[in-house]
Amino acid sequence: MPRFLFLLAGLLLLSFAAACHAQTPPTAASAEVATVSHAPHLALVPVPVPKPSLQAVHYYESGNVLWTVTTLWGFLVPGIILLTGLSARMRVLASRLGKSWYFTLALYFGFFILVYAAANLPLDWYAGFLRPREYGLSTQPFGAWLTNEIIGWVVELVAGVAFLWIPYLLLERARRFWWLYIWAACMSVLVLVIYVQPLIIDPLFQRFGPMQDKALESRVVAEVHRAGVKNAHVYEIYQDAGNMDLNAYVTGIGGSARIVLSNTIINKLNPKQLLFVVGHETGHYVLGHVRETLIMVSVLLLPVIWLMKYLAGRLLRRRGKRIRIGFTAVEDPASLPLFLLLFVAFNFLLTPPLLAYHRHLESRADRFGLELTRDNHACATSYLILLNTDLQYPRPGPVYTLLQADHPSVATRMDFCNDYHPWLDEGHGK
């Protein structure tokens, strides 16, 4: 295991070096965004992609360092919990206190979450609180940030206590088709989580409600209806002062599906730009991207579950007693960090194709939004504002794109906004 982590560290550091130095243009001040007027001729005026500011370059390069550290840390923490025997000792303590099988598992998971959260807290504090403040992206008070972190830990604990017993019970009882039963259970839980997230989980972290600007809300609803969505729910996030994130997303499935806009993005963009963003998010909804993603995840999850159990069993048979981790069976709750370690490894290997798939969905949503609004200038300037506000790097290198980018680059999106207008040539788009 240490040799594997050493090799992985070398590969990640090499990837980081390539990402930092690939396609780094000279720095320049970020361009100011002009307010879009109502003049029709502005629709086809190309919006140039600006060179990144010095601050944006620093943010991009420090982000690559952070990604490298975070990725390695994701392997290191469960590896230490496993190889030091700490996991087995927590299970022994849980069995003494819990007595029964279920309460042993629940207590063990509570101990695990406590240790795991404590180990990740310094990195989470830097990435989620200190770094955004250093770059002027947030003025959120520490108390508000810490409150959200604690809520996140509680949600993880409740979810683990509610659902973790299912795969471990199946590993112990279902000897023949355990992989199929676990896959079915995982997909059922995933669908349930996606459904209840906007109804129960998201409101724990943010305040939701109807749009405050009723005139703008009427225009948004009219556009969504024009896209063919008659029962769309549009919500506004009332973000606290200091939270500057420009959020817009589609969440939920079935009756819980909704389009969400933050008050910050509503205040930052003019109505035409906001309507393009709404068109983009409506594209995700209309094109069924949540459904497509669920299908893709279900296809990938089945072999991953089988391989994780196979590799875990093989490692325990060959190495379990030699490295003295305190257990020898995958059904033992102490195997959780081993499964987590294998999951992190599979997630790392699958990251490039998954990110490519997500970028494809985002490109399709961009096309949908632009065809719905047919406002190239609003499309391009909305991304220019997001670029300047979020310190996005307009043209990242290929290694960054391969390993980190879940959206097309801002430059790619602005180029598309500038160049795509088939309706001017008697076309209708897709």
Side-chain angles (χ1 to χ4, degrees), residues 277-358:
V277 171
V278 170
H280 170 97
E281 299 304 331
T282 305
H284 286 305
Y285 186 97
V286 173
L287 299 174
H289 289 169
V290 173
R291 181 181 63 253
E292 288 184 14
T293 302
L294 271 174
I295 294 172
M296 184 199 65
V297 169
S298 68
V299 171
L300 288 175
L301 193 59
L302 189 59
V304 167
I305 288 174
W306 189 89
L307 283 170
M308 284 175 60
K309 197 264 186 179
Y310 170 78
L311 292 174
R314 189 177 178 87
L315 286 170
L316 289 177
R317 286 192 298 272
R318 290 194 171 190
R319 306 277 183 171
K321 293 183 179 180
R322 185 184 305 178
I323 58 179
R324 298 179 181 179
I325 56 177
F327 64 95
T328 57
V330 293
E331 304 87 36
D332 193 314
S335 65
L336 181 60
L338 175 58
F339 282 119
L340 179 58
L341 195 60
L342 290 171
F343 180 80
V344 171
F346 278 111
N347 184 65
F348 179 78
L349 294 174
L350 291 172
T351 288
L354 291 176
L355 290 179
Y357 170 76
H358 197 275

Side-chain angles (χ1 to χ4, degrees), residues 38-150:
H38 295 283
H41 69 275
L42 278 179
L44 292 180
V45 175
V47 179
V49 180
K51 295 178 181 179
S53 66
L54 183 61
Q55 188 181 31
V57 173
H58 289 165
Y59 188 69
Y60 169 72
E61 293 178 346
S62 67
N64 287 323
V65 176
L66 179 61
W67 177 85
T68 303
V69 173
T70 301
T71 303
L72 290 173
W73 198 248
F75 284 92
L76 190 62
V77 172
I80 290 175
I81 295 174
L82 174 70
L83 297 176
T84 59
L86 177 59
S87 182
R89 291 196 292 273
M90 289 191 296
R91 189 256 299 134
V92 170
L93 177 59
S95 63
R96 290 174 181 170
L97 298 175
K99 308 299 182 180
S100 68
W101 177 84
Y102 173 77
F103 286 107
T104 295
L105 182 63
L107 283 171
Y108 166 81
F109 186 71
F111 297 150
F112 179 84
I113 283 292
L114 184 64
V115 172
Y116 194 75
N120 284 285
L121 184 60
L123 195 57
D124 292 340
W125 168 76
Y126 173 75
F129 176 75
L130 183 60
R131 185 167 179 260
R133 293 175 69 91
E134 286 180 346
Y135 285 93
L137 299 177
S138 173
T139 57
Q140 185 183 34
F142 176 76
W145 173 83
L146 184 60
T147 299
N148 282 341
E149 287 291 299
I150 294 173

Side-chain angles (χ1 to χ4, degrees), residues 201-250:
I201 300 175
D202 288 345
L204 296 174
F205 299 91
Q206 295 170 314
R207 293 182 297 121
F208 293 82
M211 292 183 65
Q212 299 295 295
D213 188 333
K214 294 305 178 183
L216 183 58
E217 182 182 37
S218 297
R219 296 179 65 179
V220 167
V221 172
E223 179 178 89
V224 173
H225 286 178
R226 191 161 58 87
V229 183
K230 302 303 181 183
N231 58 343
H233 304 286
V234 181
Y235 287 83
E236 180 176 340
I237 305 173
Y238 309 137
Q239 294 187 158
D240 297 329
N243 189 339
M244 303 176 187
D245 291 340
L246 304 183
N247 286 332
Y249 59 89
V250 170

